[in-house]
Structure formats: structure tokens, C-alpha cells
Amino acid sequence: MFKETTQATPPILAPGMLANAEAYGETLGQAHARQETASVLFVDQSGQLGGAEFSLMPLAATWGARREVLLLSDGPFRTRLEALGVPVSLACEASVSDIRKDTLRLSWLGALPGILRQVRAIARHAEGYDILFLNTQKALVLGALGKPLHRKRIIWHLHDIMSSEHFGPLQRLIVRWLTRYAVDHVIANSRASADSLIALAHCAPDDVPVVHNGVDLEEFRCKDAPDMAALRQQFGLPENVYLAGLFGRLAPWKGQHIALEALARIPDLHLVLVGSALFGEQEYVKSLHSQAARLGVQDRLTFAGFRDDMPAWMKAVDVILHTSTEPEPFGRVIIEGMAAGRPVIAAAAGGVTEIVRHRTNGWLVPPRDVTALADAIAILRAAPELADRLANQALDDVAQRFSVEAYLVQMKKMIANVCE
Ligand code: UDP
């Protein structure tokens, strides 16, 4: 559906504009009223909670017309959606769930019957809806392959950088083909994600608009703790120490091992890792434990597991680290850390550089650079007034550019446009 092009024209809207509802010249109320008409089937491959799922949640919850979320795996995401009053259906196939994005090879042929069943299940579900909104890679492949069956307009919400660091050659080939021939509209979660698809599929830059994720600032405001000591006590975290926090699933490319190396270099620093292995990265978790033992930092390290209450956990730390070793498609944890009013040190690659301005609203370090990370922690620790200034600016920036309200206005406008 996309025309191939080599033209390098600027995007329709700059990221800053996209994140600002006012830039559209319409109010949230108007946008809500406009979006009532189209019925939407949202499809997501994951039952687990990651950035893509957290961004779908408010959209599905506030979509005014008929909508449903079809999940290709069961898990806590279903419970969260149902608690918000969103109708959810399941179409699970274990053989398909086991296919991993970076290891997609010809072995997927064994999963072919499951793939065909899921393609048909999505097409059947899509029958009663105007739009098929595909929120993840597998949802894209399975939903778009069924286009001859359902013939619905397809929106793909791209939450990935389509580079060879993140995806195998076969997956990239399939995505390139589907983007050209089956997908009607793409919305990317960052300029970095958009550019990676433009490079892969040679589509026109205007065909891949960007809408940055947004967070509910109220959730972060109302979680203000009476004092940090009480919060740490409640979470079993060490009090009266300088505590860094790293939030997100435990996975090699999220770089928790980099943070452990930095921890070893700063003798009295403490670190809490919040998150768990969501997609079978158990070996990595084991390697983190043995790395901690080897470095002798176990007594300064807390593995908190997956937590629901991120605002409070973020407010319980002095500084928030982001250590991804590969370019991050967006990095919700960063805008959450900013909304929590904590200084954020982040790995400067991908969507992160669309959020963090070095020494203005946060601190950027080169990815995988342990020395730069340890230095940055030491600098912010030694200069609390600098850390506060960055955190205050971050709070302003998140309110201006990354609110859930602005995100919803833009997403709803784009979805509504598809039906016009
Ligand atoms: N998250 C959470 N509890 C945890 C760890 C992570 O709720 O214990 C959430 C986190 O707050 C963020 C999302 O998971 O909203 C992760 O999104 P991000 O874009 O940072 O990373 P992704 O996992 O999508 O690559």
C-alpha cells in the first residue's frame, strides 16, 4: 500500500509538534468526539506488560466506538485491560508464541498450522470492525497476511527499530513486504523507529508519522511519598544510601550488566533492578546473579522483580538509569522517570535522544560505556542542585511533550483520519 521512494523529505510533523495536542489546533474533547465513529479491533501478541502494551492500554480504554483487544497470548495484560472495561478475546497458539523475533528462521515452518489458525482467527474477529490496529510484530505479520480474508484497513503501530541488531533477515524481509503490500497506515512510536522502517521498506517519510508515547502525570503526582525513607522501608530497600534504580524487563539488550559494572566502580552506591525476564531470558537473569557475585556487589544490589507500582518505585530512588546497549525504539521508562521527578541518566541512541537533552533535562551517556555511566552517577550524586535542576526541567518537558492526553489526541486523530 506504500509507494516505494528514495526521496528524503522531512516528516509530516516534527516530534515536538506531534507530542503537543495544541499543535493540531483542536482540543482533547473535539478529538474524542471525532473518534467515536470507527470500530476498531486492536491486536497484540503479548499477554505480558511492556511499552507497547502500556501505550495500547489508554487508547483501547478510552476508544469511544466499539472496540476489542485480541491477544495472541494470555497474561497480566488481559487482566489489566479487563479491569479497565475493555473487551478482550484470546487466540493463543503456543507454537507461534515460541517464535522469537531475533531467531526467526526456517524452523518456523513447524509452526505453520498454528500460524494459519491465528491468521484465520484474526480475520474472523476483524469481520465486525472497520479497522484492524496491529500493535506488535507478530500481530502485524498474522493480521496483514490475512488481509485477503478480512479486507479491512490496517494500521500498524510500530514500536520497534527495524534494524539487523533487533531483527533477523527473514523477519525484516517479511516486514518490508507487508509494509508495501498489506499495511494501509503506520504510526511509529519515535523518529528512530520511523526512520528504520523508511530505510527498510523505502517508503516515503510522510507515510510514517510519529506519535510519542505519553504518561499519565496524575499517576505520578498522587504517588508523592511522605518521605523517601518511609517508601524505602515499605519496599524493603536500603535507607540512608545513595540508590540508583534501573526499571524495565531483564534482557541482554536492556543492559542491566552495564549497570552492574558501574555499581562495582562506585563503592558505596546501591542499585535496585525493577523488572523481570518477560520473554524467556532466564539465562540472562542467571548471568546477572553470577556477575554480581563475581564483582562482589550482591550486598549493594536488589532484584525487585516485576512491579506494578512504578511511580512509587521510581520515587524511592535518587537517580534513574537507562542502559540499553542497542538503540531504544522509544523507552517509556525514561518519560516515567522524568514524570517521577528523578534525574535520568540514559544511553544516547534511538528514541532516547528525542526525549533527553543532555545536561538540560537529563544526562546522556554513550551506550555500553561503563566509565561514562559511572562518571555520570558520581557527578549527579556530588551535585544535588544540578540533579534537581535536570529533574525539574524533565518534569516540565514531560508535561509539555509526553502527556497521555497529547498522545491520545494524536493517536485518535490519526485513526479517525483512516476512516475519512
Ligand atoms: N514496567 C513495569 N514494571 C516493571 C518493569 C517495567 O510496569 O517491573 C513497565 C515500565 O513502567 C514501562 C514498560 O514496562 O511502562 C516498559 O516500556 P519500555 O518502552 O521502557 O520498554 P519495552 O519493554 O517496551 O522495551
Side-chain angles (χ1 to χ4, degrees):
M1 301 297 155
F2 286 91
K3 285 187 209 77
E4 188 171 349
T5 178
T6 51
Q7 188 192 2
T9 53
I12 298 175
L13 296 162
M17 285 174 68
L18 282 158
N20 184 348
E22 296 303 310
Y24 281 84
E26 69 180 343
T27 65
L28 191 61
Q30 285 169 321
H32 279 235
R34 268 161 40 82
Q35 51 80 21
E36 301 296 326
T37 50
S39 58
V40 182
L41 179 67
F42 298 97
V43 187
D44 191 294
Q45 76 199 44
S46 179
Q48 301 300 332
L49 290 158
E53 289 68 37
F54 277 110
S55 72
L56 178 57
M57 233 182 287
L59 185 58
T62 62
W63 188 255
R66 204 160 62 79
R67 87 293 194 210
E68 180 183 347
V69 176
L70 178 64
L71 294 182
L72 308 183
S73 304
D74 200 1
F77 185 32
R78 175 176 59 81
T79 326
R80 293 284 282 264
L81 286 166
E82 286 172 347
L84 291 168
V86 179
V88 184
S89 297
L90 292 172
C92 307
E93 288 289 341
S95 61
V96 184
S97 300
D98 289 345
I99 302 173
R100 299 263 164 246
K101 66 174 189 177
D102 45 355
T103 56
L104 182 59
R105 301 212 172 79
L106 286 181
S107 56
W108 67 270
L109 284 171
L112 201 53
I115 291 174
L116 292 176
R117 276 195 296 274
Q118 273 189 327
V119 167
R120 279 202 297 266
I122 295 171
R124 237 187 350 262
H125 265 88
E127 266 164 27
Y129 293 89
D130 299 316
I131 293 175
L132 188 57
F133 183 104
L134 306 172
N135 200 48
T136 55
Q137 288 283 324
K138 273 184 206 166
L140 162 74
V141 173
L142 300 164
L145 281 177
K147 184 144 183 163
L149 301 175
H150 57 70
R151 296 176 178 281
K152 299 295 174 183
R153 295 193 76 72
I154 292 179
I155 299 176
W156 175 29
H157 197 183
L158 169 64
H159 298 276
D160 294 297
I161 293 186
M162 296 305 313
S163 65
S164 52
E165 286 87 25
H166 286 280
F167 293 95
L170 184 56
Q171 173 77 2
R172 279 160 44 84
L173 190 72
I174 293 170
V175 166
R176 179 177 171 161
W177 186 78
L178 290 175
T179 304
R180 284 203 203 145
Y181 302 112
V183 172
D184 298 285
H185 298 272
V186 180
I187 305 171
N189 68 344
S190 69
R191 189 68 262 154
S193 298
D195 287 346
S196 72
L197 183 67
I198 291 163
L200 178 71
H202 303 298
C203 41
D206 284 3
D207 283 339
V208 192
V210 175
V211 178
H212 286 138
N213 274 210
V215 288
D216 183 350
L217 285 155
E218 276 314 305
E219 262 184 36
F220 285 84
R221 268 189 209 118
C222 67
K223 291 281 161 53
D224 266 324
D227 64 67
M228 199 187 256
L231 208 47
R232 287 193 183 175
Q233 216 166 34
Q234 181 191 332
F235 292 145
L237 292 170
E239 292 166 48
N240 305 317
V241 298
Y242 192 78
L243 180 63
L246 178 45
F247 302 85
R249 60 197 157 93
L250 305 183
W253 77 272
K254 291 290 184 181
Q256 281 87 1
H257 57 284
I258 303 287
L260 260 59
E261 293 289 341
L263 178 64
R265 296 202 189 173
I266 309 177
D268 48 356
L269 176 70
H270 286 246
L271 174 68
V272 55
L273 299 181
V274 180
S276 58
L278 294 185
F279 305 112
E281 297 95 344
Q282 300 308 334
E283 281 309 309
Y284 182 63
V285 178
K286 271 195 223 155
S287 79
L288 288 175
H289 284 278
S290 35
Q291 183 190 5
R294 197 176 62 249
L295 295 169
V297 295
Q298 302 107 307
D299 55 338
R300 294 188 284 123
L301 175 64
T302 307
F303 284 88
F306 187 91
R307 297 292 170 162
D308 267 333
D309 196 357
M310 291 298 262
W313 277 86
M314 287 181 162
K315 281 170 189 267
V317 305
D318 295 293
V319 64
I320 291 178
L321 312 182
H322 166 270
T323 55
S324 291
T325 58
E326 305 303 332
E328 183 80 55
F330 179 72
R332 268 186 77 85
V333 286
I334 294 173
I335 54 170
E336 290 169 349
M338 292 161 75
R342 292 292 173 265
V344 177
I345 301 171
V352 173
T353 57
E354 296 162 45
I355 306 170
V356 178
R357 293 178 290 144
H358 184 50
R359 287 174 178 263
T360 302
N361 65 1
W363 200 278
L364 290 171
V365 293
R368 300 188 208 105
D369 189 333
V370 176
T371 307
L373 179 62
D375 287 351
I377 297 169
I379 290 168
L380 294 188
R381 180 186 186 173
E385 64 297 335
L386 169 64
D388 282 350
R389 183 167 59 71
L390 300 183
N392 288 336
Q393 184 61 53
L395 213 48
D396 283 355
D397 286 1
V398 115
Q400 284 294 318
R401 302 185 57 220
F402 303 107
S403 72
V404 72
E405 290 82 8
Y407 162 79
L408 287 173
V409 165
Q410 293 157 58
M411 290 298 291
K412 290 178 179 188
K413 178 169 181 173
M414 287 192 184
I415 297 171
N417 284 345
V418 168
C419 286
E420 279 170 0

